[in-house]
Amino acid sequence: MRKKSRYIAAFMILMILLGAALAANVCIGSVSVPVSQVWDILMGEQADEVYRNIVMQIRLPRALGGAAMGGALALSGYLLQTFFHNPIASPFTLGISSGAKMVVALAMVAALGSSLQVSSWGLIAAAFAGAMICMGFVILMSRFVEQMSMLIVSGVMIGYICSAVTDFVVTFADDSDIVNLHNWSMGSFSGITWDNVAVIWIVIFTASVCVFLMSKPISAYQMGEAYAKNMGLNIPLFRVLLVLLSSILSACVAAFAGPVSFVGIAVPHLTKRLFGTAKPILMIPACFLGGASFCLGCDLLARSLFAPTELSISTVTAVFGAPVVIVIMLKGKRERTES
Amino acid sequence: MEEFYFYTKGLTVGYHGVPLIKEVELRLKRGEILTLIGPNGAGKTTILKSMIRQLEPLGGVVYLDGQNVQKISGKDLARKLSVVLTNRVHPEMMTCKDVVATGRYPYTGKFGVLSKEDHRIVDESMRLVHIQELGPRDFSRISDGQKQRVMLARALCQKPELIVLDEPTSFLDIRYKLEFLSILQNLSRTKNLSVLMSLHELDLAGRISDKIACIHGDCVERFGTPEEIFTKGYIPQLYQMTAGSYDELTGNLELPPAEGKPEVFVIGGAGSGTAVYRRLQRSGIPFATGVLWQNDLDYPSAKALAAEVVEEKAFSRIRPEKLQRAKELVDGCREVICTLGEELEGGLGTELKELAEYAGLQGKLKTYV
């Protein structure tokens, strides 16, 4: 019973955080919009046109998109950690984000060259292809390297290679779109349109519901493959689903926001601490909520700290996320030496 | 024909298409305990894994309750068969009770939420293995032996008809080894649970098993009751023992004897001599001993450790020629240790008393009582 009230309290905290982050993201910025005005705008009442434009055209889509993508990143990280039984696996450390980014950059530059517009779905498809390429490579590596730390090292290296290719492409891409492309390739939630938001939510929401439906098999998988198999889990099918879902989630983020580091590691870890359990049925919704609030908070800092200059989102997430990774590694080492 | 619950037909097992053990024919009835023994690396784990569908067999079929195990659905198999493996599990932030509760997996609904009944079965399994007090503790912070018992409770709450255990007693101390196996024995008797396991402890295997299979080379070398397996001289051959000795009847295990002509003679018996034999072996001093009856408690260790044992048939008087042989050995030794006291006064001890006095006259006698 004590556990149950802890879970409820933890969910309340996450909901409040998310609500506060959403409100703050809509209200705060180079022009602050009073909360009462925001309310009026959302309710469709009479309001200042300037405010209406800022809220409806810029801040609200950005906040909604950012929230979904933050949730997706955290969830994707959680799935990869489960899959590889490694607490510091994430779309970023395994190079999956960078792979997605590379293919998206190539697609964009190709489209610019032939002056075509890439649709939201096209972006996601490109990112998914890139994510799958890197994922395939990492899984292949995991068959050869025994040590989990080596897997992460190889993932980081793949990430660097993909980033190098992306930089190369971006540097030599011509004309004015280069500014946009440059922003995106550094990681940013800016410039998200309502059209993007709709696609982002459809994809991420569907994938997340699928993940939630898999919470029972995930709990079996946490006991290790041999026992999971004995419990009646179809391991090959399960692994394929896990890989697909985590790739879709991280690809969707990479397509619209570029690389966002550390959310995938830090948020699942902090959420587990908050709940005091790793049960998938709780962790899946909790990671999503946590990731959404974490990313909104970081985005707020990214665009308001040195306004009007905007920091890349990764700069801020790294400041908060990297220390968490260090703590996890130190703790892991201590536990290994104990046993 | 007898009804077997779990059996194999021409099972061939191995890795990557390379057969390791061929034509495995094991048969297990309901409520029976079958133990696999054999040297390290013989393939006990490989056989177990192939029988429980963790490893694809290279040939042959495994039948469970009349069905080919390859054709049973994962869920149905999970309700009949549970396992305790040597794989270490590292579940994150789970209490011992959480780990035990994962055994209910094949019975819970779409989201794996435990019902009242599930909770009752989890508690019952934990009580059965005596780990109630571990319930709220973090699984990653208990000892290996405790983990092993938690995994047994987990397997039991899966409510299986057959439980398969790979070297389950490895991390357990002597108390829990016996407790663990007696739980299995009870369940096999009262709940008709069938047990298939591998063990390293031959003495325990001989006591608990209804059937034993010996894995050696590329086949199951012997399969039968413990009496059929533990025949004289078989175990050293099975394990290709190069040093020391093993007594099949008593399970007495001894290091190799000291080499050379006996320097010390021990007059012992009724269990008083064994400690002295082992002390001499540790110091590397070759010794002779006698006269021992073949039914004496000290006889197995004397046979294993002494350079020469002067022995007499069980329940008979010591014959003069045996006493004479003992005296000759005493002549050749620099010291005689007698571990007998009052026993010498019993009716059959007369000759031993004479032997001790003979040694005393030579000034070689030391008495340890």
Side-chain angles (χ1 to χ4, degrees):
Chain A
M1 276 306 109
R2 249 185 53 231
K3 272 189 185 170
K4 218 169 227 170
S5 38
R6 178 174 182 176
Y7 300 153
I8 293 169
F11 270 119
M12 296 285 272
I13 292 172
L14 289 176
M15 299 287 240
I16 292 167
L17 273 179
L18 181 58
L22 271 172
N25 268 277
V26 175
C27 297
I28 300 170
S30 49
V31 177
S32 19
V33 182
V35 179
S36 58
Q37 285 283 323
V38 173
W39 183 256
D40 287 344
I41 293 166
L42 289 181
M43 289 298 116
E45 310 226 341
Q46 198 64 44
D48 189 313
E49 262 320 294
V50 178
Y51 285 161
R52 182 186 294 278
N53 274 335
I54 291 175
V55 170
M56 292 309 284
Q57 295 312 314
I58 301 170
R59 291 195 190 157
L60 195 58
R62 180 171 181 158
L64 290 177
M69 290 193 279
L73 277 175
L75 209 50
S76 171
Y78 176 77
L79 292 180
L80 291 168
Q81 285 147 29
T82 307
F83 186 87
F84 290 107
H85 296 293
N86 184 336
I88 55 171
S90 78
F92 191 74
T93 46
L94 293 175
I96 296 163
S97 292
S98 311
K101 185 180 83 167
M102 178 182 74
V103 178
V104 172
L106 290 172
M108 276 180 163
V109 169
L112 285 176
S114 55
S115 60
L116 281 169
Q117 185 74 32
V118 186
S119 73
S120 299
W121 293 104
L123 284 180
I124 291 188
F128 182 68
M132 288 307 289
I133 292 170
C134 280
M135 191 78 182
F137 189 80
V138 171
I139 291 173
L140 207 66
M141 285 298 289
S142 73
R143 304 229 159 161
F144 297 110
V145 294
E146 285 294 312
Q147 261 186 318
M148 274 303 168
S149 49
M150 283 311 294
L151 186 71
I152 297 292
V153 171
S154 63
V156 170
M157 292 306 134
I158 297 165
Y160 272 113
I161 294 169
C162 293
S163 293
V165 173
T166 315
D167 284 347
F168 183 82
V169 171
V170 170
T171 310
F172 288 98
D174 42 18
D175 82 53
S176 60
D177 281 293
I178 203 165
V179 181
N180 253 338
L181 210 53
H182 186 72
N183 259 349
W184 166 84
S185 79
M186 298 297 289
S188 164
F189 287 150
S190 66
I192 290 175
T193 64
W194 279 111
D195 172 49
N196 295 151
V197 171
V199 175
I200 289 170
W201 271 97
I202 290 170
V203 173
I204 291 177
F205 187 77
T206 315
S208 302
V209 169
C210 292
V211 173
F212 186 70
L213 291 176
M214 281 174 72
S215 53
K216 186 182 170 185
I218 292 174
S219 74
Y221 196 78
Q222 283 177 330
M223 290 294 293
E225 251 175 72
Y227 283 107
K229 209 166 179 180
N230 175 248
M231 290 184 234
L233 183 63
N234 182 341
I235 301 274
L237 177 69
F238 174 79
R239 292 180 66 127
V240 168
L241 284 175
L242 211 62
V243 166
L244 284 179
L245 286 171
S246 59
S247 299
I248 289 173
L249 287 169
S250 50
C252 190
V253 179
F256 296 103
V260 182
S261 59
F262 293 106
V263 181
I265 308 176
V267 172
H269 183 74
L270 294 173
T271 325
K272 279 175 205 161
R273 294 278 142 215
L274 179 65
F275 280 73
T277 179
K279 283 193 184 113
I281 196 159
L282 295 167
M283 278 307 105
I284 290 166
C287 279
F288 193 92
L289 291 174
S293 6
F294 185 83
C295 276
L296 286 180
C298 288
D299 190 37
L300 185 64
L301 291 176
R303 65 188 172 81
S304 59
L305 267 185
F306 300 102
T309 309
E310 216 176 272
L311 296 171
S312 80
I313 179 82
S314 279
T315 312
V316 185
T317 53
V319 169
F320 293 105
V324 176
V325 178
I326 294 170
V327 169
I328 297 173
M329 289 200 296
L330 287 178
K331 216 180 66 149
K333 185 160 175 111
R334 205 178 57 222
E335 265 165 23
R336 270 196 301 280
T337 41
E338 268 172 20
S339 64
Chain B
M1 170 152 167
E2 281 181 293
E3 191 57 33
F4 291 106
Y5 178 66
F6 190 47
Y7 62 100
T8 61
K9 259 191 184 164
L11 181 70
T12 296
V13 303
Y15 292 98
H16 311 297
V18 182
L20 192 63
I21 299 148
K22 292 175 195 159
E23 298 296 321
V24 176
E25 303 278 343
L26 297 175
R27 292 172 296 277
L28 180 63
K29 285 185 215 160
R30 269 183 203 273
E32 265 190 348
I33 299 178
L34 164 59
T35 306
L36 306 185
I37 63 170
N40 284 333
K44 300 187 288 291
T45 302
T46 315
I47 292 183
L48 290 182
K49 277 189 177 167
S50 307
M51 289 178 78
I52 60 174
R53 223 166 71 173
Q54 296 271 349
L55 196 66
E56 193 82 22
L58 300 181
V61 187
V62 180
Y63 291 97
L64 175 72
D65 204 8
Q67 279 178 287
N68 180 345
V69 292
Q70 297 294 338
K71 304 229 163 84
I72 303 176
S73 79
K75 194 171 167 185
D76 287 343
L77 189 65
R79 288 181 176 193
K80 288 189 171 176
L81 169 115
S82 68
V83 296
V84 176
L85 303 169
T86 47
N87 305 31
R88 282 171 175 249
V89 289
H90 302 282
E92 209 183 350
M93 296 176 97
M94 278 173 94
T95 64
C96 293
K97 192 180 168 180
D98 289 337
V99 172
V100 174
T102 61
R104 297 304 298 161
Y105 186 91
Y107 300 93
T108 53
K110 187 93 192 71
F111 288 100
V113 180
L114 298 178
S115 68
K116 265 216 177 76
E117 175 68 5
D118 289 322
H119 276 293
R120 192 189 62 71
I121 294 170
V122 169
D123 289 337
E124 179 195 295
S125 313
M126 292 178 74
R127 211 164 35 244
L128 211 56
V129 188
H130 312 296
I131 52 161
Q132 303 99 298
E133 75 287 352
L134 290 179
R137 300 213 8 220
D138 186 344
F139 185 77
S140 58
R141 299 195 172 275
I142 60 173
S143 74
D144 284 336
Q146 290 171 322
K147 281 182 185 167
Q148 195 66 5
R149 289 186 289 141
V150 171
M151 294 315 280
L152 176 64
R154 194 202 79 89
L156 293 180
C157 89
Q158 212 169 320
K159 288 278 165 197
E161 294 172 358
L162 167 70
I163 181 168
V164 175
L165 310 99
D166 193 6
E167 286 167 25
T169 53
S170 298
F171 294 116
L172 300 176
D173 69 23
I174 194 158
R175 170 192 161 187
Y176 289 121
K177 266 190 206 322
L178 290 175
E179 202 178 281
F180 196 98
L181 293 179
S182 80
I183 292 165
L184 292 177
Q185 191 172 52
N186 274 332
L187 289 169
S188 79
R189 281 191 203 136
T190 57
K191 301 259 169 76
N192 229 6
L193 179 74
S194 308
V195 180
L196 168 63
M197 63 181 160
S198 62
L199 281 182
H200 272 307
E201 295 87 348
L202 297 175
D203 39 357
L204 293 175
R207 283 159 182 63
I208 190 175
S209 316
D210 296 301
K211 294 279 168 56
I212 291 179
C214 309
I215 320 297
H216 189 206
D218 66 349
C219 64
V220 175
E221 195 171 77
R222 283 191 184 190
F223 175 60
T225 60
E227 304 82 76
E228 290 165 338
I229 303 297
F230 291 107
T231 53
K232 196 98 197 110
Y234 177 64
I235 292 301
Q237 180 207 324
L238 174 66
Y239 283 86
Q240 295 169 313
M241 279 166 60
T242 52
S245 61
Y246 181 81
D247 185 70
E248 278 82 1
L249 180 66
T250 57
N252 190 30
L253 197 62
E254 299 289 358
L255 289 164
E259 302 274 336
K261 215 169 116 344
E263 294 170 23
V264 174
F265 191 91
V266 183
I267 304 171
S272 65
T274 298
V276 177
Y277 302 154
R278 290 187 183 148
R279 192 163 51 76
L280 289 168
Q281 191 275 345
R282 284 199 295 278
S283 321
I285 301 168
F287 66 93
T289 184
V291 179
L292 281 178
W293 284 277
Q294 285 166 350
N295 61 339
D296 197 282
L297 270 178
D298 284 333
Y299 184 73
S301 50
K303 285 300 271 185
L305 296 175
E308 183 171 343
V309 182
V310 184
E311 55 191 86
E312 185 53 271
K313 274 186 279 183
F315 308 115
S316 333
R317 267 216 97 83
I318 295 171
R319 284 166 287 170
E321 63 265 32
K322 294 288 176 183
L323 182 61
Q324 190 50 43
R325 176 63 196 148
K327 282 180 178 172
E328 282 165 30
L329 285 165
V330 166
D331 291 339
C333 290
R334 58 176 162 81
E335 190 179 305
V336 175
I337 298 172
C338 179
T339 59
L340 296 171
E342 285 174 5
E343 294 91 335
L344 294 176
E345 306 304 327
L348 284 171
T350 326
E351 286 80 3
L352 294 177
K353 195 175 175 188
E354 188 187 330
L355 184 63
E357 282 164 1
Y358 177 80
L361 286 175
Q362 296 187 11
K364 293 177 179 170
L365 185 68
K366 275 194 182 172
T367 308
Y368 282 73
V369 182

